[in-house]
Amino acid sequence: MFWDRKIETLDRPALEQLQLQRLQKTVRRVAAHVPFYREKFAELGVRPRDIHSLDDLRRLPFTTSADLRANYPTGLLAVPLDDALRLHTSSGTTGKPKALFFSRQDVDNAAELCARSFVMSGVTKKDVFQNMMTYGMFTGALVTHYGAEKVGCLVIPAGPGNSERQLMLMQDFRTTFIHLTPSYALYLATFLEKHGVNPRRDLALRKAFVGAEPYTEGTCRKIEHGLGLDVYNSYGLSEMNGPGVAFECEQKHGMHLWEDHFLIEIINPATGEPVKAGEPGELVLTTLTREAMPLLRYRTRDITSIITKPCRCGRTHRRLHRITGRSDDMLIVRGVNIYPQQIERVLMAQSGVGRNYLISLEGLDEMTIKVELAEAGFEGQVEQLVKLQSQLAEKLRTEILIKPLVQLLPPGSLPVSEGKTKRVIDNRKL
Ligand code: ADP
Ligand code: ZN
């Protein structure tokens, strides 16, 4: 199903022509209105009229999240404050947040892209949407909220948490789809199980859009099984409107990134040079339609790769592989580079393992993986636990090259969060 068949299936030459026009317009806009970019252009000796092809993108400066913070609150605004309609901030980990402004057109485009993304997986106006993203300054909930309204769905602005109320709403209003984080999805699955709810039998749920943090294929399967529905990967970031940047289609193999609104590059994060076609690297995005706060070559720090083959659904916008983590998520333990997602991949593929885990780093580079056992399957035999523990430690060693301590815990013993979950606790004294 298509929301806007013409633009979603536009042939590549026409799409690239549109991208070039929009890139040229964006570059002119920031050169005229944003001193930060004007100075960068002067340093690099580049003028808006030098952009003749999409390859000229590489002449333009990168923008980083540090630039956003340094220009907080209004430094990167490209329209008079009067023309800004909405302010969002990004959670960020330290210091000042990033302030993101939207014009009326930006608000509308953000909703449009979410509408496109929902319909791509079969959502129609008959669907009932229970939005379990966090409402507030984050883009996560509001942008998907307006997207679903645009499709004509009934929208229930539930927000995350309060699972008893979630269940009541899902039952009373026959909710058919939800949008939530992987960690809350896993928690909700456990909650339903504990309350004897069989989602396939007792609820009308058909789809979950899951995103806002990285998760593995194994986690995806667990959510599908636990909630009795289809999971679609949902990717976005506040700097690029929020959710709706790239979503999965019904093929569920990679996420179409809406290339009429964003230009994609994949670079080697260490050198800034493009990687070879199809190779993994850092995703860099340039906004093509944003008015209030256009960003050139924004370094997302998200690690992914482009699927080069065309998709069977007929959409021409290229797909991204599942995000495997952020370039700055990387841990260095005993000199080895490790991404938390590598650990999650091993844990979630192992039968007997439950839904929650925590990576804890202590002392002088000691790594402990605390992992919950599955609700069912454990018959109380110590030998069984010892075997699982050593299997996990061995599989982890093959994946991450060091052998961590594995601690098995009863289901439900690790903390859960409603928003983004903290998977790593680093208390090392190095
Ligand atoms: P931040 O977490 O930087 O404060 P956001 O709330 O805008 O900002 O979150 C955007 C980030 O969330 C992305 O850059 C990415 O790291 C992560 N993210 C969002 N969706 C996904 C997804 N489907 N898979 C993996 N990571 C995701
Ligand atoms: Zn597709």
Side-chain angles (χ1 to χ4, degrees):
M1 271 205 294
F2 292 90
W3 171 253
D4 185 342
R5 182 187 293 267
K6 186 160 172 265
I7 196 78
E8 290 173 50
T9 60
L10 196 62
D11 61 62
R12 293 294 308 179
L15 183 56
E16 283 164 20
Q17 187 54 38
L18 179 68
Q19 287 184 315
L20 178 60
Q21 279 165 14
R22 289 182 168 177
L23 175 65
Q24 288 167 330
K25 192 170 167 192
T26 300
V27 171
R28 283 198 300 271
R29 177 185 283 276
V30 296
H33 301 294
V34 186
F36 166 80
Y37 281 118
R38 209 175 310 135
E39 283 159 26
K40 289 257 183 185
F41 288 177
E43 270 169 37
L44 294 170
V46 57
R47 294 156 306 176
R49 61 174 181 276
D50 297 334
I51 307 300
H52 303 294
S53 73
L54 289 177
D55 286 338
D56 290 330
L57 180 67
R58 289 183 55 195
R59 304 187 57 182
L60 298 171
F62 285 118
T63 311
T64 64
S65 66
D67 295 328
L68 256 75
R69 290 183 212 288
N71 286 282
Y72 177 90
T74 54
L76 293 175
L77 199 59
V79 295
L81 200 54
D82 276 4
D83 291 338
L85 207 68
R86 198 197 288 170
L87 171 70
H88 279 294
T89 56
S90 162
S91 43
T93 37
T94 46
K96 293 265 190 208
K98 298 171 233 169
L100 289 317
F101 292 93
F102 290 62
S103 69
R104 183 175 298 280
Q105 186 63 52
D106 297 336
V107 164
D108 197 57
N109 282 340
E112 178 77 14
L113 292 187
C114 273
R116 236 193 237 180
S117 304
F118 285 143
V119 169
M120 173 159 67
S121 63
V123 165
T124 71
K125 74 180 285 289
K126 292 205 177 82
D127 278 293
V128 177
F129 175 40
Q130 192 161 321
N131 195 355
M132 301 184 185
M133 299 300 280
T134 307
Y135 280 82
M137 297 296 285
F138 304 111
T139 47
L142 279 181
V143 170
T144 49
H145 180 110
Y146 287 109
E149 281 190 357
K150 215 174 193 34
V151 179
C153 305
L154 170 65
V155 181
I156 308 173
N162 197 345
S163 303
E164 261 143 53
R165 193 187 57 169
Q166 301 284 10
L167 174 59
M168 183 192 81
L169 294 167
M170 290 194 285
Q171 286 169 329
D172 293 350
F173 301 99
R174 307 298 295 156
T175 301
T176 60
F177 77 101
I178 56 184
H179 195 302
L180 72 182
T181 61
S183 28
Y184 187 54
L186 290 171
Y187 179 79
L188 191 63
T190 310
F191 177 89
L192 295 183
E193 197 175 347
K194 270 204 190 120
H195 288 73
V197 179
N198 172 342
R200 284 194 196 278
R201 185 191 62 207
D202 307 328
L203 302 175
L205 280 183
R206 289 192 298 125
K207 302 177 208 302
F209 296 91
V210 177
E213 50 188 9
Y215 60 110
T216 60
E217 206 56 54
T219 299
C220 173
R221 295 285 94 78
K222 280 201 174 172
I223 299 170
E224 293 193 321
H225 181 74
L227 293 178
L229 41 64
D230 271 324
V231 166
Y232 293 87
N233 200 354
S234 146
Y235 173 74
L237 62 162
S238 322
E239 294 85 335
M240 303 286 137
N241 298 348
V245 175
F247 267 55
E248 275 179 321
C249 66
E250 279 175 306
Q251 304 288 328
K252 296 217 287 184
H253 183 66
M255 304 179 281
H256 288 283
L257 190 136
W258 299 122
E259 293 186 79
D260 54 330
H261 289 265
F262 307 103
L263 266 186
I264 315 178
E265 294 171 86
I266 306 276
I267 63 163
N268 173 333
T271 63
E273 290 302 313
V275 299
K276 289 205 192 82
E279 281 187 4
E282 178 182 347
L283 177 66
V284 173
L285 293 173
T286 297
T287 64
L288 292 176
T289 53
R290 282 184 68 90
E291 293 179 339
M293 222 175 122
L295 294 173
L296 301 182
R297 308 188 78 198
Y298 183 70
R299 303 213 26 185
T300 66
R301 294 169 298 160
D302 293 326
I303 304 292
T304 182
S305 53
I306 294 179
I307 300 179
T308 43
K309 280 203 194 119
C311 186
R312 295 229 292 272
C313 74
R315 287 179 183 79
T316 48
H317 300 242
R318 284 174 297 170
R319 287 167 294 163
L320 298 182
H321 276 295
R322 185 177 289 285
I323 310 282
T324 53
R326 285 187 154 197
S327 57
D328 49 1
D329 272 351
M330 194 181 74
L331 305 168
I332 303 180
V333 183
R334 293 179 230 160
V336 182
N337 298 352
I338 300 169
Y339 284 100
Q341 294 300 297
Q342 293 177 278
I343 295 172
E344 182 175 319
R345 204 155 46 230
V346 172
L347 298 179
M348 293 299 145
Q350 174 76 42
S351 69
V353 164
R355 299 190 173 116
N356 206 353
Y357 70 93
L358 185 70
I359 301 165
S360 160
L361 300 167
E362 284 123 33
L364 298 168
D365 258 0
E366 298 304 328
M367 179 187 255
T368 306
I369 317 262
K370 301 180 180 186
V371 55
E372 289 181 9
L373 289 165
E375 203 79 46
F378 173 58
E379 279 134 34
Q381 283 152 353
V382 177
E383 301 87 83
Q384 214 183 331
L385 284 183
V386 173
K387 192 164 153 229
L388 179 59
Q389 206 164 23
S390 69
Q391 270 177 349
L392 277 176
E394 200 43 52
K395 285 183 182 164
L396 284 164
R397 194 185 56 82
T398 315
E399 174 72 37
I400 61 176
L401 308 176
I402 62 167
K403 198 165 175 176
L405 203 69
V406 175
Q407 229 179 60
L408 300 173
L409 302 168
S413 41
L414 289 171
V416 279
S417 91
E418 294 171 355
K420 302 195 188 213
T421 306
K422 208 169 160 46
R423 293 291 190 194
V424 181
I425 294 188
D426 194 344
N427 286 328
R428 280 177 293 184
K429 299 186 182 55
L430 295 177

